[in-house]
């Protein structure tokens, strides 16, 4: 539990607050010799950038990543990759009125209790700008995974009461990027967008769900007992701001089923490989990948920052009213999509490195 | 990701398979000077023991824990506590017919892919007997937490379609131990029991949900970013066999709410302390405990082992039928209750140790 | 810094005091499929056993190891290997007179300051019995290393002023086991033995040096920067009781040389492989093994426990005289030899696992 | 073993090569509320800077540190402190002639074996520029230690055959900074300087020893068994470039003593505190600080880079002659002094954080 480092062999160490000089990190464990497509990394960052559409915050952050190390002649050298994204378009004055106020459902009070002081500007370390480092780390992980044929694709599967009923097998996941909500079904995307706009117009916010699919995973990743692959994924996902829940495979719905309905029967695939006829296991059995698609969902609460006046207390123990002036997303879900992918990619890259040494040595 | 050790400063390292000589572990970080009530540890083990009632497996495991170290004159010395529970009543012959068979929704295939060989007797390391070490570790963590006024209470909140509608504030959690299902509402418990018996009689199994409440937690536990308290809890819970999902506070239901409904407004309590009027945050904000009750739920799938004949394949790639002869719970949920508590207790004890050094030093 | 676990992917977690029920541990990361020769493990334990000769303590500890898990049909399964060695022939009453006394140059005072209480019997956790777990872990590591052609051989290179002048290349290291001192040169061994006996007869003790050679190491092990291979070895060695110093390659003597004398010039070996003409680097350059022999030395202080009366103070702050009744080695060095080997073997096995994933993946 | 992160609760993650965009890192665990004197951090960096005197490399690196996060209104916030020092005055062309050459006693060959490619410019990650991150991390650790009355002071105790005979108690350690060699005895410093200049004039280099003293350490720091305080110090020191050995307290010389000479007898100090009459234990007993001064020495080899022509081989397996054109220190020892201090400070800060939680909780 060392809050700012994630992973065992593929590791991201992150730093940065919303209103300091920048947000960045160090990625350790990138496979030497891989081509590091920095345009791809930047493109991933652009996916999480605010100000992309009418349903995201109008803050306009350019968020250009600078790499300091670990890349030479376009290739990863195996040494740590240091990077930073400068903070710009900060309006610290927006936060002048909340210096002492505990905003409802924010980290303000908890941080003050923990640290004895806090950087009140825009949430400080609890700001969503912290996820910049995750996206860069995840982009590097994706480059590594892609080299081995593994892809990670997330999409918005629910916004408020608007739910995408089809499961991932019946969707064209690439279509998710074609709309601002990042829902692969265009008509559902429209309804989701309306739901968000309705909340925004009411100076309110709304929650939702992101679903993620990892394909091309070889059998054998994940460690039994505490580091089951789903445990690492759950850990990664619940570490994202505003995440409230995680389920994989059949998830909570599976609790209502009987074993005879739920069990995935093994079969022999046409290519001779062992597979399962169904995939309620979500590609993981006993904590270890079984070669089927891995899929899971993450619940996100409605954005805590709303533009209505709310009663609260301040650090002097006084009852006060607070109105937030900052610019915020009325729904975090669309911009959470690339972050879910990033965290999943880092979990998979780490699992791959941890697993590989044993696999390789036992075959020698 | 070192699969068999859990925690940073309060750590459990676990070992053991279902059919080896024993299951045990090492607990590091127990506070020196604390009275170690070994009867309490044994009582916790008895709560997870098979054969407790008509709805659990008829295997009769006595499961007596032996401590090797770390306790002197009844007190923890601060050195690691080694312990083992011997394996008895093993019927390896029950598994003779499944040496080469991949049981549906079990870890058999994934283990073989990972390790190149497997201990086929009763699931080996993937057996639920592995949780013995967790319960011992959790019991020691509970002793430490209790010393600081923190309690951890779990109960069965759903079995199949039978759902406990009341939330924890309206329940007498102590009543959960008065029935075999571990549901604090006796009438719902009866319906749950009937649901399990119905599945059992059909040679089938059923899933469910465990809810857990942690009370008396001071504000400040948990680390921002990757080691948010909910991330550690999710990681701990998804590492339990058969767990499929985790949610805390408002959870998945909260995704349907608007921010104005969801936000927990701060208030001043009669005792002058800052609190929240509602607790959809589940006692955690920004990854850090805020002093309110922490509560969360864990989804468990229906037991994979059912007594029906099922089609599957074996390690030779042949299609076969399998019938399991072992003795198994038709529903894992009642016996998962003490395991959820144990894992939660270890997360909290670890968070407490990790947090305390900073708290103490910054006040000096 | 989690005191009782050693290693990253090959890990030993250790427990046990001199006078509890037993000393043991958990080894994680053993390569699945390897034959685990438990007789070899026991033989390694026998090498550290007290009572082997006239120059070691007359305590007669049988020290039989029991394995609980991780081995099936004689092969490692890849799951953690739990083990214990029971404590026998304990004479707790020998320590009745030192309950409150701080023995000179022992851990008594420091432990009491740290933990607020201590197990005074025989040093508790600071006892050399703790090294039992290291020897078992090291024996398993040796089995793994041997599979890949790597050997670890240590020997006594100094006792008091008796120094073995020849370097390891000119010695038959296997001869070390032929005498009680574990010095490969029989005539020097005789002089060392006389030195130890002279100290023993004077109710005194004497220090010395252990040298260790690791052969067959492939180039590429070790991580740059903080986890240089020599840093891991130094860490491992200074964690052994009574160790006071570590040097590798040219060591402290190398500080007196000029670069032109010290540099190891690269050459092409007859087999076409790159090698070095000399090996002052000790087989490690930039923290990474270069394929040459790795060698290093560890300094051990004279045993703190001597049979003379010594003035000291007790926990009440009173000046007292203390005479130790326990049975102790007049020189720890001969019995430190297998422990140095064990720790070195675990470092190498861990480095091999950590390195292999990158090596394997970058070649795919 | 994750090569680029150091420490458990006080952690430095480092990145950067000699010829990339910059060298930097992330410090995690800085105590919130502490004043961060960035001028002091810069002054520490200036101490390691090349070009300070006639006996160091004429490279003129300004090495200004930029902080990105973790500091607000001059105080540490408890969140991670990201920083970078830009690389300037790089002469990559100096290295054009060594692209394929394995320089004697450098990391070139080992890196290539490990990573399959290398950044040949100035040693890449194995360059001494990597220590910039250590010095910044160490400066922050010193700020924290100073707050609790702990000081860390290192000095040059040997250069080649010129040895400082007096032990630290008889020296004015502050005087070390008054000369270029960093030896607190001015006359010995002169002789050391002459020794270095003599080597330099011969296009050669020379080794030496740094000694370090830590004062004001409370009893109780360090963990028994693997994480003994001396083990952490040895690990930290052997991770520094060019370090070849470590000894603490009586060190290697102590191996020649008898126990009756070596034991530190406990006594009651005039202030009533328990102390020892001598300090051959070097302030650490059983791996735990006992309240006396901690002192240790680190051996450094002669700089591998010398300006003479040397025979070696290249990556094509050809025998070649190499002459290095880069600018290098003829003796690393003077500039190693602040690095030894930095690593020691980080070890102590980490030990303090790890120890404090138990200390604080067991007193509650």
């Amino acid at each position: 539990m060392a809050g700012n480092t994630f992973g065992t062999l593929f590791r991201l160490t992150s730093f940065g607050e919303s209103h300091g000089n920048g947000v960045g990190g160090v990625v350790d464990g990138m496979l030497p010799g891989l081509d590091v497509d920095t345009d791809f990394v930047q493109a991933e960052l652009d996916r999480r950038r605010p100000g992309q559409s009418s349903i995201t915050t109008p803050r306009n952050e350019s968020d250009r990543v600078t790499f300091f190390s670990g890349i030479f002649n376009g290739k990863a050298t195996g040494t740590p990759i240091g990077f930073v994204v400068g903070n710009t378009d900060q309006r610290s004055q927006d936060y002048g009125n909340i210096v002492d106020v505990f905003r409802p459902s924010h980290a303000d009070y908890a941080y003050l209790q923990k640290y004895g002081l806090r950087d009140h500007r825009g949430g400080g370390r609890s700001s969503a700008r912290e996820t910049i480092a995750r996206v860069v780390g995840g982009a590097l992980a994706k480059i590594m995974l892609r080299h081995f044929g593994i892809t990670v694709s997330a999409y918005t599967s629910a916004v408020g009461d608007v739910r995408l009923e089809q499961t991932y097998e019946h969707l064209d996941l690439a279509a998710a990027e074609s709309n601002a909500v990042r829902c692969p079904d265009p008509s559902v995307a429209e309804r989701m967008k309306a739901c968000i706009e309705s909340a925004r117009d009411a100076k309110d916010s709304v929650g939702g769900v992101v679903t993620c699919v990892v394909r091309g995973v070889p059998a054998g990743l994940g460690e039994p007992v505490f580091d089951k692959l789903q445990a690492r994924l759950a850990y990664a996902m619940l570490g994202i701001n505003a995440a409230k829940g995680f389920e994989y495979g059949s998830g909570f719905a599976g609790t209502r089923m009987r074993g005879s309905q739920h069990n995935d029967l093994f079969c022999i695939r046409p290519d001779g490989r062992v597979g399962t006829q169904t995939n309620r296991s979500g590609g993981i059995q006993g904590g270890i990948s079984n070669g089927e698609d891995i899929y899971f969902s993450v619940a996100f609460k409605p954005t805590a920052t709303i533009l209505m006046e709310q009663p609260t207390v301040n650090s002097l123990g006084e009852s006060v009213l607070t109105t937030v002036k900052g610019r915020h997303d009325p729904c975090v879900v669309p911009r959470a999509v690339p972050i879910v992918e990033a965290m999943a990619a880092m979990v998979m890259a780490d699992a791959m490195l941890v697993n590989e040494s044993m696999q390789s040595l036992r075959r020698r």
Side-chain angles (χ1 to χ4, degrees), chain A:
Chain A
M1 202 182 297
N4 300 290
T5 297
F6 183 85
T8 301
L9 294 184
F10 189 97
R11 295 155 62 96
L12 168 67
T13 299
S14 147
F15 65 81
E17 287 88 36
S18 52
H19 287 67
N21 288 331
V23 171
V26 186
V27 170
D28 217 333
M30 188 66 177
L31 203 59
L34 283 185
D35 290 318
V36 179
D37 179 350
T38 53
D39 290 344
F40 170 72
V41 179
Q42 184 62 51
E44 288 290 282
L45 262 185
D46 294 345
R47 290 177 68 209
R48 83 157 283 291
R49 194 166 52 83
Q52 298 173 62
S53 76
S54 64
I55 57 167
T56 56
T57 166
R59 277 201 313 278
N60 196 340
E61 299 169 357
S62 57
D63 290 346
R64 302 294 307 175
V65 62
T66 300
F67 290 103
F68 290 112
S69 60
I71 304 170
F72 179 53
N73 290 339
K75 287 185 191 301
T77 60
T79 60
I81 299 176
F83 64 90
V84 74
V85 171
N87 283 336
T88 53
D89 189 33
Q90 304 161 1
R91 299 191 191 168
S92 295
Q93 68 279 16
D94 279 358
Y95 300 96
N97 65 330
I98 58 157
V99 173
D100 294 316
V101 171
F102 301 140
R103 289 169 296 166
S105 287
H106 277 80
D108 302 343
Y109 172 72
Y111 263 65
L112 187 61
Q113 292 300 303
K114 186 175 189 72
Y115 296 113
L117 82 178
R118 70 184 176 94
D119 180 348
H120 60 269
R121 302 164 304 169
R125 183 68 174 153
S126 70
S127 159
R129 271 194 79 70
E130 167 266 319
T131 57
I132 284 173
R134 301 176 187 237
V135 171
V136 174
L140 295 170
K142 281 182 179 180
I143 288 171
M144 182 172 142
L145 294 174
R146 194 163 52 188
H147 185 70
F148 297 106
I150 301 170
T151 59
V152 181
S153 312
Y155 59 92
T156 299
S157 54
V159 169
D161 283 320
V162 185
R163 306 266 143 173
L164 181 58
E165 297 302 333
Q166 287 166 295
T167 55
Y168 78 91
E169 305 95 317
H170 307 99
L171 295 164
D172 171 17
L173 301 191
E177 290 301 301
S178 63
N179 59 69
V181 182
R182 294 206 164 98
C183 174
D185 180 319
S187 68
V188 179
E190 277 304 307
R191 288 164 47 217
M192 288 173 170
K193 186 164 177 246
C195 178
I196 296 174
E197 287 169 343
S198 161
R200 182 198 60 197
D201 295 346
K203 298 190 174 184
D204 212 334
S205 64
V206 67
V209 178
V210 173
T211 296
C212 184
V213 185
V214 189
R215 284 175 158 141
V217 180
L221 303 197
E223 304 294 314
V225 186
F226 304 122
D227 281 311
K228 292 185 169 80
L229 196 50
Q230 68 269 38
R232 296 299 294 186
L233 288 167
Y235 166 64
M237 297 305 143
L238 267 294
I240 301 175
N241 280 359
K244 299 292 288 187
F246 168 91
E247 59 181 2
Y248 81 105
S250 62
F252 277 88
T255 67
R256 297 176 184 266
M257 298 172 77
R258 285 200 165 182
S260 57
Q261 303 167 290
H262 190 274
N263 280 352
D264 295 316
L265 302 180
F266 283 103
C267 60
I268 303 293
R269 289 277 159 74
D271 63 359
R273 208 169 54 80
V274 171
T276 60
Q277 298 179 30
T278 50
N279 186 19
R280 295 184 195 97
S281 298
I284 307 172
Q285 292 178 325
I288 301 170
S289 63
N290 67 356
E292 305 297 309
D293 293 342
I294 292 173
Y295 65 96
F296 59 87
S297 293
V298 188
F300 289 92
K301 70 175 185 178
T303 319
T305 306
I306 52 177
L307 300 180
M308 288 183 230
E309 191 174 68
Q310 297 174 96
T312 187
V313 301
N314 65 18
S315 60
L316 303 173
E318 300 164 337
S319 294
V320 295
L321 290 173
T322 185
T323 315
V324 179
K325 290 196 197 138
R327 297 152 296 168
H328 299 275
D329 287 0
C331 181
V332 299
V333 171
R335 286 178 58 213
V337 166
I339 296 160
V340 165
E341 287 181 4
M343 296 307 295
M346 288 194 286
V347 168
M348 298 310 299
D350 194 29
M352 198 162 180
L353 282 167
V354 168
N355 184 58
E356 182 66 17
S357 59
M358 190 189 68
Q359 295 297 337
S360 169
L361 288 177
R362 76 175 175 81
R363 283 169 183 148
R364 266 169 49 175

